[in-house]
Amino acid sequence: MSDIADEINISVGNIYTYFKNKKELFYAVVPPDLVDYLKNVLVEKINFDNQTLFEETDSERKSALLQEQVDVLRKYRNQIVIIFEKNKGTIYTNAKNELVELMIETRRPTSRTNINGMRLAPRRA
């Protein structure tokens, strides 16, 4: 709380005038449904890429999905940083790992096959 108070040049006590605790302030800044929204935007793009990986793509649709991702990242940049880096003790504690795992799992069906449907060798760690 003191970092926030210093950043906006007010006293910590003044913050507590508006928010009961850090958790309440956190959720005021980062709405609980934001992570779900991010997941949906990213998974939709990955699914589209999976479906169109080896065929002519609907470039208009692909451009729209990419633009939506860029818009989301721009609009929620600060909240995304908070979710990933300042999440201790919140419902977002494991959000970064969950999001990365979701992207890997969503991408996996395509990454294991080539254009002829043959299985590729597993990646080396």
Side-chain angles (χ1 to χ4, degrees):
M1 293 296 251
S2 62
D3 290 343
I4 294 168
D6 290 344
E7 182 70 27
I8 58 177
N9 215 15
I10 64 170
S11 71
V12 173
N14 202 8
I15 293 175
Y16 283 108
T17 301
Y18 300 98
F19 303 98
K20 288 189 270 188
N21 52 43
K22 284 192 253 185
K23 194 174 192 177
E24 189 176 292
L25 173 60
F26 187 94
Y27 295 128
V29 174
V30 182
D33 59 346
L34 181 58
V35 171
D36 291 332
Y37 179 66
L38 290 172
K39 287 178 183 177
N40 289 336
V41 169
L42 292 173
V43 168
E44 183 180 0
K45 175 70 169 82
I46 292 169
N47 282 332
F48 181 81
D49 286 346
N50 283 346
Q51 293 168 4
T52 61
L53 186 62
F54 301 113
E55 58 189 53
E56 278 297 314
T57 61
D58 177 353
S59 61
E60 190 172 308
R61 172 92 169 110
K62 195 170 195 170
S63 293
L65 284 171
L66 183 58
Q67 187 60 51
E68 183 178 7
Q69 286 180 322
V70 169
D71 292 346
V72 166
L73 293 173
R74 281 187 180 142
K75 181 176 181 178
Y76 296 109
R77 181 191 184 287
N78 293 333
Q79 290 90 337
I80 292 168
V81 170
I82 291 168
I83 289 168
F84 290 164
E85 302 299 328
K86 307 290 185 187
N87 58 22
K88 187 176 180 180
T90 72
I91 61 172
Y92 302 115
T93 299
N94 202 29
K96 181 170 38 176
N97 291 334
E98 289 172 2
L99 191 55
V100 169
E101 285 300 316
L102 178 64
M103 290 188 304
I104 290 168
E105 287 302 313
T106 303
R107 189 66 179 168
R108 187 169 281 153
T110 300
S111 64
R112 290 190 177 171
T113 58
N114 69 11
I115 194 164
N116 297 322
M118 297 175 61
R119 262 184 119 52
L120 299 173
R123 290 189 207 177
R124 294 184 182 166

